[in-house]
């Protein structure tokens, strides 16, 4: 294991080991914009003590491919993973506020899609696509919005230059 970087912040300690960012036990929050445009890792390992992932916390961490949200997380800020290269999104099944379906993070009731990635599909339970949910995530040419969606929040699909067609319900 090659340890590249160690930092102690007011949030706690994290290490960059090989290609992973590892937050150690005791970290309860990742501040807004904390790694914005500075994350040189493909995976993040969150501790079970984590409660909050701030707005744009991992924005433009282009190499970030995989994220697993622990059961303890109760808040994910808008654009937390905006502009990442995510291909895998998983939420611990014990989480009381969020769940993962179709490679996307949703509120537990399935009505709001919090964030997704280029490998996500929008489940037909979704009523709201959250702010910056798919921004700069490299979506492909055709996006299909299910008939259940009644609200698309600001910047939900921003920066996806490859989108050529959006199929909207009647």
């Amino acid at each position: 294991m090659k340890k590249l970087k160690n930092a102690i912040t007011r949030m706690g300690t994290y290490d960059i080991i090989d290609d992973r960012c590892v937050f150690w036990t005791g970290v309860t929050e990742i501040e807004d914009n904390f790694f914005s445009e500075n994350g040189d890792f493909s995976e993040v390992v969150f501790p079970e003590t984590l409660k909050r992932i701030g707005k744009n916390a991992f924005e433009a961490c282009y190499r970030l491919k995989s994220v697993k949200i622990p059961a303890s997380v109760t808040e994910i800020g808008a654009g937390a993973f905006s502009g990442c290269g995510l291909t895998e999104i998983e939420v611990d099944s014990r989480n009381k506020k969020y769940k993962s379906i179709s490679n996307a993070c949703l509120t537990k009731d399935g009505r709001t899609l919090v964030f997704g990635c280029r490998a996500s599909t929008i489940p037909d339970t979704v009523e709201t696509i959250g702010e910056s949910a798919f921004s700069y995530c490299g979506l492909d040419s055709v996006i299909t919005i299910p008939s259940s969606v009644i609200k698309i929040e600001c910047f939900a699909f921003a920066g996806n230059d490859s989108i050529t067609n959006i199929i909207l319900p009647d």
Side-chain angles (χ1 to χ4, degrees), residues 82 132 134-138 154-161 163:
S82 173
S132 300
F134 289 100
S135 65
Y136 296 92
C137 74
C154 296
F155 309 110
F157 296 99
N160 287 287
D161 298 336
I163 296 175

Side-chain angles (χ1 to χ4, degrees), residues 53-68:
I53 301 171
K55 184 175 181 179
N56 301 319
F58 293 91
E59 177 185 34
C61 292
Y62 304 111
R63 294 189 59 234
L64 184 56
K65 302 290 182 215
S66 174
V67 67
K68 295 176 183 167

Side-chain angles (χ1 to χ4, degrees), residues 64-153:
L64 184 56
K65 302 290 182 215
S66 174
V67 67
K68 295 176 183 167
I69 307 296
S72 56
V73 172
T74 59
E75 182 183 345
I76 300 172
F81 298 96
S82 173
C84 294
L86 289 176
T87 56
E88 181 182 355
I89 298 168
E90 183 181 327
V91 178
D92 188 304
S93 62
R94 298 170 296 150
N95 189 297
K96 292 184 177 167
K97 182 151 184 189
Y98 302 105
K99 66 181 177 181
S100 51
I101 296 177
S102 301
N103 224 5
C105 177
L106 288 78
T107 53
K108 198 67 165 183
D109 63 7
R111 293 183 179 160
T112 301
L113 192 145
V114 179
F115 72 94
C117 66
R118 68 175 151 240
S120 300
T121 55
I122 303 169
D124 61 9
T125 61
V126 171
E127 295 175 0
T128 301
I129 298 173
E131 181 181 342
S132 300
F134 289 100
S135 65
Y136 296 92
C137 74
L139 288 175
D140 289 332
S141 59
V142 179
I143 305 299
T144 302
I145 308 294
S147 60
S148 58
V149 173
I150 55 176
K151 182 178 183 182
I152 299 174
E153 294 186 348

